[in-house]
Every structure is written in structure tokens, then in C-alpha cells.
Amino acid sequence: MAVSPPCHLPVTSPLCPQAQQPAADGSMEERPEPAVTTTEADGLAERFLQLERDHNSLLRELPPFGAPVSHVYSPLDYAWEPHRDFVRRYCRGPKRVLFLGMNPGPFGMAQTGVPFGETRHVREWLGVSGEVGKPPSEHPKRPVLGLTCKRAEVSGTRFWGLVRTLCPDPHVFFRHCFVHNHCPLLFLASSGRNLAPSELPPAQRVQLMGLCDRALAQAVGLLGVQMVVGVGRFAEQRARRALAAAGVTVRIEGFPHPSPRSARANKGWEEQARARLGELGVLELFREEGGSPERDGGGSERPLVIKEEVEED
């Protein structure tokens, strides 16, 4: 039986002000975070990044997950540079809508540090760059190749492909929206299979979910989110539980997950997703008129009008 390694993430990592990275000779050398000139927009991005640093520090203290977990990847450690670039580029103002994913996929965020981060869209459309290292223990069937990874993640291709179709300029999408994961860790079985958080041992899962729930509530408050859109049932349910426990009152809705594991998603996911965005009143946020507050700093924003729905039994 495969034995899970300690969940303790590296004591020092790119999340820390004085991160240790491998030098050319294989030794560890300190590489401090570069100095940042802070504007109001930069300040929000830096506060969000600090929230993630703090969250990841707590995750390092979790005990080993045990079987069936064989390997744990933390992209916010080894892929911190592209993740930081993503946040600094696109998290520069309050967000009306937060699209919430579950956790990294082996060919998405695990490679790029970007939620649903299929490499081609991350490089070519989002324009994200940065050095990607390696997790401390790498599964031979799930190597981390970074932004050069050739294998596409279907979920990420579908998600960002739709967003790109609706918003050819990514700044139009990120003017009012952001994308985030409830949990920043990837879990792999000894076979290399991606394990969902729901498949973790109960005691460890409860601890993990508690930390991730609190971090989500903090992120929603920091960004001034008005509506959380859970991508898939798991993310929607966690958002409802986390924000209710924290006393955060925002609208929470579900959105079809683009995973190829979903039979429904394999039968016209893009049409389903477009229709759902229309039902939620989110499509109107993708219009270009009015300019981007994050880019031009002028004009006033129209209030968000979200269509209400009546849930059927």
C-alpha cells in the first residue's frame, strides 16, 4: 500500500518573503520577493496574495492525509511566479462575481498556478508568465512541466475557451469577475489518478475544508464580491457552507462544471454554460462599453443587476 507523505509543504517557499529556491548547483539559496511600488489597485492584489500566503502557511501544518493520497502538489509554492503574475494582472479592483473552482487539476493549475489554467490559454490569452519549479515529491505519471506542458486540461480548455469567446480582451472579463479555487492543493493516488477533496479520509478532509472555508470567506470580503458562482456542485455547496458559517451574505449560485468526467458536460457544455450565464445576468458584465475601471480609472460603475430565480423542488 502506498504511504502518503507528510502534508507539510516546504518550510520555505516562494510564498515567503525570503523564499529558498534551488541554485544552479542544486543547493538552496534565498531569493527575496522583488520590491513592489504600491498603488491602490496594486494594494488589493498584494492583499489578496498575502491572504493566500497566510492560508498556505496554515495548510503546511496539516498532518499527512494518508491513503488513498500518495502525492500532494501545492502550486502556490512551486508555481508561485505565474500565479502572482495572474493576480497582479487581473485582481486590481473589487469583483462583483467570483467564479469558484474546487481545486487544481493535474494539467491545469498544477502546471501554471492559474485556476483552470490550461497552458495555451494562460500563455497566449491571459499573457501570464513566470518560472515554475517542481513539487518536493513528484509523481512519475504526473510530471510538472510548467507553461510548456503540451497536454491540455479539458476543463480549463472549455472554461477559458468560453470566456475568451465572450470576451476577446481578458481585461473585459476581469473588470468585474475573478476566478479562484476553494482549495489550492492537488491530491494524487498512487496510480496518478486525480483525487477530489471529497475522496480524502474524513478526519483530514474536515480539517482541510475548515481552513479553506475560512480563507474563502476572507477572499469574498476582501474583493467585495456580490455573487459567488460555484463551478460544479462541490464548489457551490462549499461556498454556501463557508459563507453561512462566516456570516457573509452574498448570493451563491451553481454553474455546470466543464469536466470530461461529467456526462452532461460532454453533451454541449458551452451551450449550457452560456445559458446559465444569461440566467444569472452575468453576460451583461462582459460588455465592453463604459471602459474598465481597472485600466482607465474613470467613470462610474453601474450597479450590478442579477436576475432572481425561483428554485424548483
Side-chain angles (χ1 to χ4, degrees), residues 95-259:
K95 304 298 179 184
R96 302 182 185 189
V97 178
L98 181 67
F99 287 90
L100 183 70
M102 182 169 60
N103 71 314
F107 303 106
M109 187 173 176
Q111 302 291 334
T112 65
V114 175
F116 295 98
E118 187 267 332
T119 53
R120 183 174 62 87
H121 282 92
V122 170
R123 291 193 318 265
E124 299 176 8
W125 187 60
L126 296 177
V128 166
S129 62
E131 182 180 344
V132 178
K134 294 280 190 179
S137 177
E138 187 177 52
H139 195 292
K141 292 185 178 179
R142 294 293 180 263
V144 172
L145 304 175
L147 296 172
T148 63
C149 180
K150 302 298 183 183
R151 182 165 175 176
E153 181 181 77
V154 175
S155 294
T157 301
R158 287 174 173 172
F159 181 85
W160 288 117
L162 174 62
V163 174
R164 184 176 186 175
T165 298
L166 297 172
C167 303
D169 180 353
H171 290 90
V172 174
F173 173 77
F174 288 105
R175 178 176 54 190
H176 299 302
C177 303
F178 197 60
V179 184
H180 184 57
N181 273 331
H182 176 260
C183 173
L185 302 179
L186 166 68
F187 305 97
L188 298 173
S190 59
S191 64
R193 183 175 69 88
N194 180 22
L195 295 170
S198 58
E199 298 178 83
L200 301 179
Q204 288 86 341
R205 182 176 67 241
V206 168
Q207 286 184 285
L208 174 68
M209 292 296 99
L211 293 176
C212 294
D213 285 353
R214 287 192 287 274
L216 173 62
Q218 292 171 340
V220 167
L222 176 64
L223 299 181
V225 172
Q226 298 179 29
M227 179 167 66
V228 175
V229 178
V231 182
R233 179 67 67 181
F234 180 91
E236 178 190 353
Q237 291 176 341
R238 291 313 311 185
R240 292 187 186 280
R241 180 175 298 185
L243 300 182
V248 177
T249 304
V250 298
R251 189 172 177 200
I252 302 169
E253 294 291 350
F255 183 76
H257 199 289
S259 171

